[in-house]
Amino acid sequence: MDENVSLARLAHRLEEVVGELRGIPVGVERLEDGELILQQIAHAMDTSDEVRAMYPAGTPEVGRRGRRNMPEFLDALRRGMRARLIVHTSMMDDPVSTARIREMHAGGTLYRITDEPVQQLLVFDRSVAFLRITPVAHAPGALLIRQQSLIAAFVDLFEKTWARSREATEPAYRLTPREREVLALIAEGRSNSAVARALSVTEAAVGKHVASVFAKLELPHTEDDNRRVLAVLTYLRGSVR
C-alpha cells in the first residue's frame, strides 16, 4: 500500500480516536486554533535539537503564514537546531514559498524536492509531531502527537521519502514530472510535434512545456547558443531525474 495513502488513513483514524476518547490522555491532542498551533510549533522549535518537515503542494504555511514562525526558526538554527525539509515540486513555482525556503536554506536547513504526494508533517526530535488533521491543502487544524510509536512511524516515513527525493542543488529541481518527460523525449531527438504525438497532447502544449523548461534551467535566448541542445545536455549530465 502507498505510504502516503497509509498516512492519510492514519490521520483520519487518529481524528476519530481523539473524538471518541474525549480528553482521555492518549498522547494525541487535536488543535483547531491557528494561533495556538503556531505557538506550540514555536515552543517546539525553542526546545528541540532536530526537526524533520514535509510540505505538500499548496501549503501556505511555508510562504505566507510561515513568516510568522520564521524568526523563531532562524533563531533555533543559529543555536544549533538541525533541520531537514521535503517540499513538493509545485511549491517551487510559488515565489513567496521559494523565498522562504531559500531563507531557511541560507540559515542551514537541508531540503529536497519530491514529486510524490506528501502530507504536511513536522517532527521535532523524536518527542513531538504536528500532522495536519485533514490531509488536503488549506485544511485547518492539526494533531499534536507525543505517542512514541506513532512518532517512530512518522520518522521512518520521512527518512524513506527523503531517500527518494531529489537534491535541491540540482539545476533542474524545479521541473515538473511532465516537463522532465518532455525533456527526456527531446533528448531522444524528437521534434515538438513528435513529442506531442508521444504524449497525446497538442504541439502548442509541448511548446509551453519547452518554454518553461528553458526558463527554469535559466537558458536565455541568444544568437550563439541553442537552448534546446543546452537543455538536453543538462538532461544527459544526469541533473534531471
Side-chain angles (χ1 to χ4, degrees):
M1 181 180 295
D2 184 272
E3 290 177 344
N4 292 298
V5 173
S6 298
L7 183 57
R9 291 179 177 175
L10 176 59
H12 179 70
R13 180 55 186 152
L14 284 172
E15 183 180 3
E16 290 181 340
V17 170
V18 172
E20 292 168 359
L21 294 178
R22 297 180 182 276
I24 298 175
V26 293
V28 180
E29 180 181 357
R30 178 171 178 162
L31 304 177
E32 295 185 352
D33 183 278
E35 289 298 323
L36 177 59
I37 293 171
L38 291 175
Q39 291 171 14
Q40 292 281 5
I41 291 174
H43 176 71
M45 287 179 185
D46 188 50
T47 58
S48 300
D49 295 321
E50 181 179 28
V51 60
R52 298 169 172 89
M54 296 198 299
Y55 290 98
T59 308
E61 285 78 358
V62 172
R64 295 165 182 82
R65 287 179 56 191
R67 64 177 176 267
R68 297 281 303 280
N69 279 131
M70 186 60 70
E72 291 90 346
F73 184 81
L74 295 177
D75 285 344
L77 291 175
R78 282 191 285 270
R79 70 167 173 75
M81 184 183 76
R82 302 180 302 279
R84 284 187 292 159
L85 178 66
I86 299 172
V87 299
H88 190 267
T89 308
S90 63
M91 289 189 61
M92 305 309 292
D93 292 326
D94 174 19
V96 177
S97 293
T98 300
R100 294 297 169 195
I101 291 168
R102 288 176 176 169
E103 186 176 0
M104 289 187 281
H105 181 59
T109 301
L110 301 178
Y111 73 102
R112 291 187 175 186
I113 311 298
T114 183
D115 301 320
E116 299 178 15
V118 294
Q119 307 303 330
Q120 187 174 345
L121 174 69
L122 293 167
V123 181
F124 291 94
D125 294 335
R126 291 175 179 265
S127 59
V128 62
F130 296 84
L131 177 68
R132 185 189 293 276
I133 288 178
T134 305
V136 295
H138 308 291
L143 297 177
L144 190 161
I145 302 164
R146 294 188 175 88
Q147 215 286 329
Q148 289 301 299
S149 61
L150 292 175
I151 292 177
F154 294 148
V155 169
D156 182 63
L157 173 65
F158 177 92
E159 295 298 342
K160 288 179 178 178
T161 305
W162 178 269
R164 295 193 300 268
S165 301
R166 303 191 302 281
E167 293 287 350
T169 54
E170 295 176 359
Y173 70 91
R174 291 182 59 192
L175 299 190
T176 65
R178 176 47 64 96
E179 288 166 352
R180 287 195 294 277
E181 195 173 16
V182 167
L183 191 50
L185 291 170
I186 290 175
E188 295 176 2
R190 303 194 193 195
S191 64
N192 281 11
S193 59
V195 172
R197 289 192 298 273
L199 299 178
S200 299
V201 298
T202 65
E203 189 170 347
V206 172
K208 290 181 180 179
H209 288 310
V210 171
S212 180
V213 167
F214 292 160
K216 291 180 178 180
L217 295 184
E218 300 180 353
L219 301 174
H221 177 72
T222 68
E223 294 293 332
D224 299 324
D225 298 320
N226 186 315
R227 291 186 294 175
R228 200 176 182 90
V229 172
L230 293 175
V232 168
L233 287 174
T234 300
Y235 176 81
L236 294 177
R237 290 187 187 118
S239 294
V240 181
R241 297 187 296 191

